[in-house]
Amino acid sequence: MSDLGDFTTFDDDSSDESSAASQSDETGSDDAGATGESATEAPEEETARFEEMDVEPAGKDRGLGVLSASEGLSISEEDDDTRLRAYVTVGNRSDIRVGTYLLAPYPDGEQLFCRITGLEYAREFRGDDATEIHARRAMRSSGIDEQDFKLMASLEPTAVIYSDGTAGDGSEHLKRRMADRVPKPETIVRRARDKREIKTGLKIPEDGVFLGHLSVGGERVRTAAKPPTIDYRLKDDYASGDPLVFRHTLVAGGTGSGKTHAAKNVLRQYLAEDRRYPIEGEDREVRPGVVMFDPQDEYAQMHDDNPAMDDEFARRLEREGIAHGGHEDTVAFVPKVDGSSYAASHHDAEQLEFTIPFAMVHENPWLIAGSKLNDNQYNALTYLLHRFEENAGADGTYREFTTFIDDPALREELDESGRVHEATYDAVKRRALGFDGVFDQDARPITDLVERFVRPGGLSVVPTYHINNSRSRTTVVLALAAMLVDQKLSNAPTYERIKETPLVLGMDEAHNFLSGADSVQASKVIGKFTEAAKQGRKERLGLFLITQDPQDVADAVFKQINTTAVLNLGDEDAISAVNIPRSLEKKVPYMEKGQMVVYSPDNSEPVELTGLSTCLTRHGRD
């Protein structure tokens, strides 16, 4: 007996009878012989023939498929009650992905903009294909017969798109509203390919700060326009609310995910020549300044052009209105710290040394509080600094302060008066020592360089990679950041330049400085930055935080972040911490270099983007 599926001959008990019958047919029957007619002489039977015709379906298929009401068709305020499924025709099945954007028209011209959230194959006819026969037949066949199956796409309604008159260029002016209508059964669904329809459906602004190109599954969404990609931008004017730069941005990604590359590209847009913001109470606009704290010494390279960028790519950037090329007004402000030296051959930016004057500690005593100083000890430190300032004046140096607190008579006096217990005094003294290499070094004080440090249209980079001591690095960064924040929030600022200049305060490895650790220093820092974040819109101060450990950034600061760009992260705690929709969380571990998901509720729907493959400025070391 042959295997199923093989149509070969086989022998059985009736083989002899079959052979005899065959011979009888060949020699003729007795009846045929009686008539004297041979079988071969019988008239040949005429074979029936059918005329062949080319048959084509009337009309032409449009779209990917149709909405199906076989399991219900509903749109509800509750997500669990929404049921929207489409049958995808055979020829379109290999081209669609989860996340693909679709449009389903209403009879009156409005359109439902939706997204594929699930794809499911089902049997076209009742049957069981989990059998040996089906399996072996499929294994021997050269392909799959899609006609036996149906592919159903589950859709998530995003918005209803409708026309609201004519735009200035003569095209339709499209608007969106919440999905409040259910489309008709068997409505044709088609892929969204018009740039205006997609941007309207996702609420992506036409103009603003460029972040990347809209993608689905790592592939850029293509349209019929030129260029065919869809640029994703952040709102950057006051026409529809505050610019999102002053609502704060977080870029999160693991090592090798391309977060520095992406951050440079975004910061380059803020430094564009035509990027300006109005000054409150004045009839003028000012370019923003950018101050970047750089623990890996990578951002001063933004001064230089990228040698890997060719002319064709540059022309494409110009067509899309993307600022590119090295930013000439870039200065590396190098902190002078005892025992450390800075050498930079990987960039051509101007280098300017500075030191932190001890006078800055009077405004922020927590700079020398250390991470283990409790509230009682912190109050004692504040008192000692006040006494020192009365004795030495506002320009007293750190060395003079250490001599001051090393006085046994002062310790005894404060203990006997009950002002500072001797044990508390000793604890403060131990923790306030060890900053000799940070304050009052042989360089110009940063307070004398404010006019250069903060300047409209300028990029000031503070590299700290050359500082070996982590305590010293933290002190430098927090001292400068505190100065900028204090001046921005002050009603009577010492430095009008800081107050009047729109400012983007960038901080790489932000988790090292804005962690939620339980200490006096941490609480003071977090409190200051939280207040700065809350007042950022009013004072034109934007935080631009970059981290690979977002779970370590204090919640109080995190809650003020409006725009989150997440590149590849492998740690589950880090992914959960960025607080993005669940549908996006699942994509994060599979992101290739440069891919990201962006969650910016005040700007657009949550989306997936692909960044530029080439950095807009110099990036990387030879």
Side-chain angles (χ1 to χ4, degrees):
M1 181 176 179
S2 70
D3 291 336
L4 290 172
D6 289 333
F7 297 96
T8 58
T9 60
F10 62 92
D11 296 331
D12 63 5
D13 295 341
S14 61
S15 59
D16 294 338
E17 297 178 4
S18 300
S19 176
S22 175
Q23 291 176 358
S24 176
D25 289 340
E26 292 177 357
T27 60
S29 64
D30 293 342
D31 293 339
T35 59
E37 294 179 350
S38 171
T40 57
E41 295 175 352
E44 192 174 303
E45 183 179 352
E46 185 176 350
T47 304
R49 295 181 178 275
F50 296 92
E51 184 178 356
E52 296 182 359
M53 299 181 63
D54 291 332
V55 178
E56 292 291 339
K60 184 179 179 181
D61 290 347
R62 294 174 289 118
L64 296 174
V66 296
L67 294 180
S68 169
S70 60
E71 298 180 11
L73 193 62
S74 63
I75 286 181
S76 172
E77 292 181 346
E78 301 295 331
D79 292 341
D80 293 341
D81 296 332
T82 295
R83 188 176 297 105
L84 204 63
R85 285 162 64 85
Y87 174 87
V88 182
T89 55
V90 173
N92 293 307
R93 293 176 181 178
S94 61
D95 295 331
I96 64 170
R97 302 285 187 273
V98 172
T100 299
Y101 299 109
L102 304 180
L103 286 166
Y106 295 99
D108 58 2
E110 294 186 342
Q111 300 185 89
L112 178 66
F113 185 86
C114 47
R115 184 175 66 92
I116 296 178
T117 57
L119 293 169
E120 175 191 6
Y121 268 110
R123 294 285 301 182
E124 181 72 27
F125 309 102
R126 179 174 296 182
D128 183 6
D129 58 0
T131 65
E132 184 73 10
I133 294 175
H134 280 82
R136 297 187 66 178
R137 180 178 294 166
M139 292 164 66
R140 296 182 181 191
S141 66
S142 59
I144 299 172
D145 185 4
E146 291 258 358
Q147 302 289 350
D148 291 342
F149 301 90
K150 52 185 177 181
L151 180 62
M152 304 301 296
S154 298
L155 310 181
E156 177 186 65
T158 302
V160 172
I161 300 175
Y162 63 96
S163 176
D164 187 38
T166 304
D169 58 359
S171 62
E172 275 189 306
H173 181 250
L174 299 180
K175 296 186 70 174
R176 73 192 294 270
R177 67 171 188 270
M178 68 172 290
D180 55 3
R181 302 174 63 188
V182 62
K184 304 292 184 183
E186 298 189 7
T187 294
I188 297 172
V189 294
R190 64 178 176 86
R191 189 191 300 268
R193 290 193 179 278
D194 183 86
K195 185 174 182 178
R196 293 184 306 114
E197 290 175 341
I198 296 175
K199 280 200 166 189
T200 301
L202 294 174
K203 202 178 65 172
I204 300 175
E206 282 294 329
D207 301 309
V209 176
F210 175 83
L211 260 63
H213 292 112
L214 186 67
S215 302
V216 172
E219 297 181 4
R220 290 179 174 86
V221 175
R222 316 291 289 189
T223 71
K226 291 185 178 180
T229 51
I230 298 176
D231 53 317
Y232 182 91
R233 297 178 182 270
L234 293 176
K235 288 188 296 186
D236 199 48
D237 57 41
Y238 288 91
S240 54
D242 298 304
L244 289 183
V245 61
F246 304 129
R247 302 286 302 279
H248 319 303
T249 303
L250 175 74
V251 178
T255 302
S257 64
K259 65 179 181 297
T260 303
H261 177 137
K264 284 183 177 181
N265 285 350
V266 176
L267 291 174
R268 183 63 184 86
Q269 305 313 300
Y270 288 122
L271 294 166
E273 178 65 33
D274 58 352
R275 185 87 51 206
R276 299 173 185 272
Y277 301 101
I279 300 300
E280 188 174 3
E282 300 184 30
D283 188 22
R284 64 189 180 100
E285 295 184 336
V286 177
R287 294 178 64 189
V290 176
V291 174
M292 187 70 205
F293 295 106
D294 183 7
Q296 297 299 325
D297 197 13
E298 297 175 293
Y299 290 87
Q301 290 182 318
M302 292 181 66
H303 173 272
D304 307 326
D305 292 336
N306 187 351
M309 183 181 297
D310 56 33
D311 293 339
E312 181 180 351
F313 188 75
R315 286 193 295 269
R316 172 187 149 194
L317 296 173
E318 291 167 3
R319 287 195 300 268
E320 293 193 59
I322 301 172
H324 62 91
H327 186 64
E328 185 176 354
D329 190 7
T330 299
V331 179
F333 282 81
V334 182
K336 180 72 176 293
V337 174
D338 189 34
S340 301
S341 60
Y342 180 78
S345 59
H346 57 286
H347 68 78
D348 295 327
E350 178 186 356
Q351 301 173 31
L352 186 60
E353 274 194 333
F354 72 93
T355 186
I356 305 293
F358 184 69
M360 295 177 68
V361 176
H362 295 301
E363 295 294 328
N364 296 289
W366 47 266
L367 287 172
I368 60 170
S371 60
K372 296 182 180 180
L373 216 61
N374 60 37
D375 289 337
N376 187 43
Q377 294 165 347
Y378 181 77
N379 291 333
L381 172 62
T382 304
Y383 177 77
L384 288 171
L385 285 170
H386 178 68
R387 283 281 297 264
F388 172 69
E389 188 177 10
E390 287 182 342
N391 292 346
D395 296 329
T397 65
Y398 176 74
R399 187 177 297 276
E400 291 172 340
F401 176 71
T402 57
T403 302
F404 172 76
I405 61 175
D406 198 34
D407 184 1
L410 177 62
R411 175 179 181 274
E412 183 178 356
E413 172 197 337
L414 297 179
D415 182 51
E416 290 179 353
S417 65
R419 187 65 183 82
V420 178
H421 190 273
E422 59 182 8
T424 301
Y425 190 99
D426 292 339
V428 170
K429 179 181 175 181
R430 287 195 303 271
R431 289 172 172 81
L433 297 177
F435 293 94
D436 306 75
V438 178
F439 298 105
D440 308 315
Q441 298 300 298
D442 184 21
R444 293 185 64 184
I446 190 63
T447 48
D448 292 348
L449 298 170
V450 168
E451 294 292 316
R452 293 211 62 193
F453 188 54
V454 177
R455 57 201 186 282
L459 170 61
S460 295
V461 179
V462 183
T464 58
Y465 184 76
H466 64 291
I467 303 176
N468 300 320
N469 185 285
S470 61
R471 189 185 188 193
S472 298
R473 287 198 300 269
T474 301
T475 302
V476 169
V477 172
L478 293 181
L480 297 182
M483 177 185 73
L484 297 173
V485 169
D486 287 342
Q487 292 298 303
K488 272 294 186 183
L489 301 183
S490 175
N491 293 323
T494 304
Y495 307 103
E496 289 291 339
R497 168 61 68 86
I498 299 176
K499 183 71 173 180
E500 294 179 354
T501 304
L503 185 62
V504 179
L505 180 56
M507 187 176 288
D508 205 343
E509 296 188 7
H511 56 277
N512 289 333
F513 309 104
L514 302 177
S515 66
D518 186 17
S519 68
V520 172
Q521 185 183 53
S523 65
K524 296 293 183 182
V525 173
I526 297 307
K528 184 178 292 293
F529 275 85
T530 301
E531 186 62 25
K534 290 180 179 179
Q535 298 295 327
R537 288 179 290 177
K538 176 184 175 183
E539 302 296 343
R540 290 163 177 73
L541 171 64
L543 301 181
F544 192 88
L545 309 180
I546 306 163
T547 179
Q548 60 182 348
D549 296 314
Q551 70 274 21
D552 292 337
V553 177
D555 287 342
V557 176
F558 216 114
K559 289 178 180 178
Q560 303 302 319
I561 301 294
N562 186 269
T563 301
T564 304
V566 186
L567 293 92
N568 183 282
L569 283 171
D571 185 84
E572 291 185 3
D573 292 336
I575 296 173
S576 299
V578 292
N579 194 29
I580 59 178
R582 180 62 180 168
S583 60
L584 296 182
E585 281 188 8
K586 297 178 181 178
K587 296 183 178 184
V588 170
Y590 303 98
M591 292 285 177
E592 297 292 337
K593 187 173 183 178
Q595 294 177 16
M596 68 188 88
V597 293
V598 174
Y599 183 52
S600 185
D602 290 345
N603 191 68
S604 74
E605 297 289 333
V607 294
E608 176 189 341
L609 304 182
T610 297
L612 296 172
S613 58
T614 303
C615 192
L616 298 173
T617 65
R618 187 175 179 180
H619 180 62
R621 304 191 187 188
D622 298 332

